[in-house]
Amino acid sequence: SPATKQLSQIISTMFPSLGGATPTANGGPGAAAAEPAPAKDGEGLINLCDMLDKPMCYARNENTSYPLGNLFIGDSRLGMQSDADEQLIIHLTFQEFVKVKSIKFSEWNMGSNPDMNPVNVHIHINRNNLGFEDIEDVDPAQTITLTAADLQDVSDAIDLYYVKFQRVKSLTFFIEDNAGADITAIGGLQIMGRTVATTNMNDFKKQG
């Protein structure tokens, strides 16, 4: 009756949750929950060294008194040094896939020994167990040539070929040579980038 319809409209207005089934995206009431929204990449740039899987990281030809871990403590007086000669291999594994935008090597001991600065650095992506016996036979994703200015703390990080570094689980740096000394020394290392979006499959199990 008209009175019943009017009362129903008043109740629906005052208490919408008591109304009929709400149409879903496909137009039918009571349909399964919509698919979760696509995951987004990490918003801002972060220092990806905070996301290292440290037990999986290693170096070749490192001086045990100045090991790999010193690169991440923020004191260039300690830093990392090579041992038998000027070459170094640094392998870094991340806890999850990341996008790498830029890297920043810092000079050792605030630049007190510039001839120990690394110069030509070859960067490999997602390559495990590279050693000196085979690393020169593998094409790197990118090679950078560092100057003394690049290594200063006030200098900007060096941008990489971002399109090549979109899904990185590990990086291997082959430091081929330095500025003339018998050994190479590095004060610090930063790797700037973003996390990669992943989908939580549990979200799909809520449907049906």
Side-chain angles (χ1 to χ4, degrees), residues 118-187:
V119 176
N120 289 299
V121 181
H122 307 284
I123 308 171
H124 299 266
I125 303 170
N126 301 337
R127 295 273 191 173
N128 295 321
N129 302 316
L130 287 175
F132 289 108
E133 68 279 1
D134 56 6
I135 198 166
E136 295 188 67
D137 298 327
V138 180
D139 291 333
Q142 186 171 346
T143 295
I144 59 175
T145 299
L146 299 171
T147 66
D150 292 329
L151 296 165
Q152 294 177 359
D153 287 341
V154 296
S155 298
D156 293 334
I158 295 176
D159 286 334
L160 302 179
Y161 300 142
Y162 197 39
V163 66
K164 291 186 176 183
F165 292 80
Q166 292 292 294
R167 191 171 177 80
V168 177
K169 192 65 166 62
S170 69
L171 292 174
T172 305
F173 299 97
F174 172 41
I175 298 170
E176 183 179 10
D177 51 23
N178 62 18
D182 292 335
I183 62 171
T184 295
I186 307 169

Side-chain angles (χ1 to χ4, degrees), residues 88-105:
L88 266 172
I89 292 176
I90 299 172
H91 180 82
L92 303 177
T93 300
F94 299 98
Q95 298 169 5
E96 59 186 78
F97 284 101
V98 296
K99 296 182 177 185
V100 181
K101 181 181 185 299
S102 59
I103 60 172
K104 171 64 176 174
F105 284 96

